[in-house]
Amino acid sequence: MAKQRVLSGIQPSGNLTIGNYLGALRQWVAEQDTYECYFCIVDLHAITLPQDPAALRAKTREVAALYVAAGLDPERVTIFVQSHVSAHAELSWLLTCLTPLGWLYRMTQFKDKSAKQQQESVGAGLLNYPTLMAADILLYQAHAVPVGDDQRQHLEFTRDLAQRFNSMFGETFVIPQAMIPKAGARIMGLDNPTAKMSKSETSDYHAIYLLDTPAVVKKKLMRAVTDSYGEIRFSSDEDRAGVNNLLTIYQALTGQTNDEIEAHFAGRGYGDLKKAVVEQVNDRLQPLQDTYNRLMNEAGYLDRILAQGAERAEAVAEKTLQTVRERMGFVARPV
Ligand code: ATP
Ligand code: LTN
């Protein structure tokens, strides 16, 4: 039987964080043999907020190399740059014309990100972001989409849009499911544990980046916000969010249960907890960084992967797009 498909992506909009790793990348690596996988670097999504062209170019390549360094095997999975496959932009337009504005205005990511800008200068791309994301997923007929908790609403949107298309034009798209990890689906900012850790947040002690040196990781974690309870246990209380976040990172990296972790730290202080997290994070990042540096120094390696990835992705995407064009009533280009 053919394998089911998986598709996911990360925006090259900054330095990848341990949140991106624990919420998304790590799951992708774990699923690469179970599914037929497509992982893209979503550069068209990144430009929904202003990007410096040189930085976008550099980050796109950096993210691609980090996919491989984190453990994705480019022979077994398809790694590609979203803008290299023009079907994404085209399907996005077709779906835009079927998307009710009300659905877009309801998206919490749009509300959050647009609130941070001057009302008149909010780009229309930020509003249409979920439709482009739906196009990414639906082009590959993906069954499962491994993402962090913050993407739940966008997945519901994608499912609604796919159902809408199917009922208007006939069964065309697979209805995808979100695949959200048990531990690490929502890592919080170290400096503000009530806000999601995010790569586009620029304050110095907010996020651990995958390419941070061991000394920087240590400095950031030792400064992480905690509380004055002095008790190491998992908790959903807002005023214990900092300690809960450190425990969550520890859990996502060790795979231990809540009970095991609480027993391990019983009677110990926050300093001990922080040191233990520093050790786990650095142990995980070390091999990833070694591979990253090796890949970046190997001339032509990344280009080869991205060329091969775009070719494989395009073949699948064009086939779906062709069906969509026919169903919607576009005249086929005469040969
Ligand atoms: P930006 O700040 O530019 O919006 P981001 O850091 O939120 O970026 P995205 O590129 O939007 O990252 O997300 C890539 C993937 O990483 C998604 O699957 C998302 O759910 C996941 N992710 C992002 N931040 C976290 C986090 N703090 N905890 C868990 N998963 C996360
Ligand atoms: N919106 C996603 C990034 C993204 C994505 C996708 C994730 C763009 N296209 C397709 C899964 C599938 C985010 O994480 N902010």
Side-chain angles (χ1 to χ4, degrees), residues 21-328:
Y21 177 77
L22 296 174
L25 254 179
R26 190 178 55 130
Q27 289 199 85
W28 305 357
V29 174
E31 300 298 342
Q32 63 184 328
D33 288 322
T34 317
Y35 292 87
E36 179 184 324
C37 295
Y38 295 83
F39 297 117
C40 50
I41 298 102
V42 290
D43 52 353
L44 298 173
H45 277 102
I47 62 161
T48 55
L49 290 175
Q51 301 294 335
D52 168 65
L56 181 65
R57 222 174 340 258
K59 288 296 161 192
T60 301
R61 297 179 68 82
E62 181 178 308
V63 174
L66 281 169
Y67 282 7
V68 180
L72 291 178
D73 174 359
E75 292 310 318
R76 283 182 286 165
V77 306
T78 298
I79 296 174
F80 67 103
V81 176
Q82 184 187 31
S83 66
H84 291 174
V85 180
S86 59
H88 291 249
E90 185 172 343
L91 181 61
S92 175
W93 172 254
L94 303 182
L95 294 178
T96 292
C97 297
L98 305 176
T99 305
L101 266 179
W103 292 11
L104 294 169
Y105 283 127
R106 267 206 296 280
M107 295 291 120
T108 52
Q109 181 179 293
F110 172 71
K111 291 189 220 168
D112 292 349
K113 292 196 173 180
S114 58
K116 290 183 185 158
Q117 310 212 353
Q118 294 283 329
Q119 189 65 40
E120 306 76 51
S121 61
V122 172
L126 203 55
L127 182 66
N128 283 315
Y129 181 112
T131 309
L132 176 60
M133 177 163 163
D136 298 341
I137 297 167
L138 300 179
L139 275 175
Y140 298 86
Q141 306 287 5
H143 293 82
V145 183
V147 284
D149 182 68
D150 63 308
Q151 295 302 310
R152 243 178 236 282
Q153 196 185 32
H154 286 159
L155 253 295
E156 275 310 310
F157 172 97
T158 302
R159 291 164 61 86
D160 290 345
L161 197 53
Q163 258 144 8
R164 186 176 172 90
F165 188 100
N166 287 352
S167 66
M168 289 170 78
F169 301 104
E171 285 302 313
T172 304
F173 295 125
V174 167
I175 309 297
Q177 301 259 6
M179 186 192 267
I180 296 176
K182 282 201 191 72
R186 191 172 177 81
I187 303 297
M188 311 307 280
L190 299 178
D191 57 347
N192 173 10
T194 56
K196 188 195 79 147
M197 183 183 283
S198 154
K199 70 171 118 61
S200 49
E201 177 60 62
T202 50
S203 56
D204 285 351
Y205 293 93
H206 172 76
I208 293 171
Y209 300 127
L210 298 185
L211 295 175
D212 277 345
T213 62
V216 169
V217 168
K218 183 169 179 195
K219 196 158 79 176
K220 287 179 175 174
L221 278 167
M222 295 315 280
R223 288 227 194 165
V225 169
T226 54
D227 55 54
S228 53
Y229 292 103
E231 190 190 4
I232 302 181
R233 64 173 173 84
F234 287 90
S235 166
S236 53
D237 296 352
E238 196 155 297
D239 57 353
R240 292 176 184 254
V243 171
N244 191 68
N245 192 39
L246 293 171
L247 287 169
T248 302
I249 296 172
Y250 186 84
Q251 177 163 55
L253 290 168
T254 61
Q256 294 171 8
T257 64
N258 289 17
D259 288 347
E260 283 167 345
I261 294 171
E262 287 174 359
H264 178 73
F265 289 108
R268 295 164 67 185
Y270 292 162
D272 286 345
L273 171 62
K274 287 178 169 180
K275 279 188 209 138
V277 178
V278 170
E279 198 176 298
Q280 290 297 332
V281 170
N282 281 334
D283 281 356
R284 186 63 65 103
L285 294 188
Q286 183 84 67
L288 185 152
Q289 295 179 0
D290 291 345
T291 313
Y292 174 84
N293 291 325
R294 190 162 48 73
L295 298 181
M296 287 307 244
N297 287 320
E298 202 176 311
Y301 177 78
L302 212 51
D303 286 335
R304 277 199 300 281
I305 287 177
L306 294 178
Q308 166 187 302
E311 198 174 316
R312 294 205 293 235
E314 188 163 52
V316 177
E318 276 300 326
K319 187 158 164 264
T320 306
L321 185 58
Q322 197 51 44
T323 308
V324 170
R325 288 197 195 109
E326 278 164 25
R327 302 243 158 114
M328 290 182 79

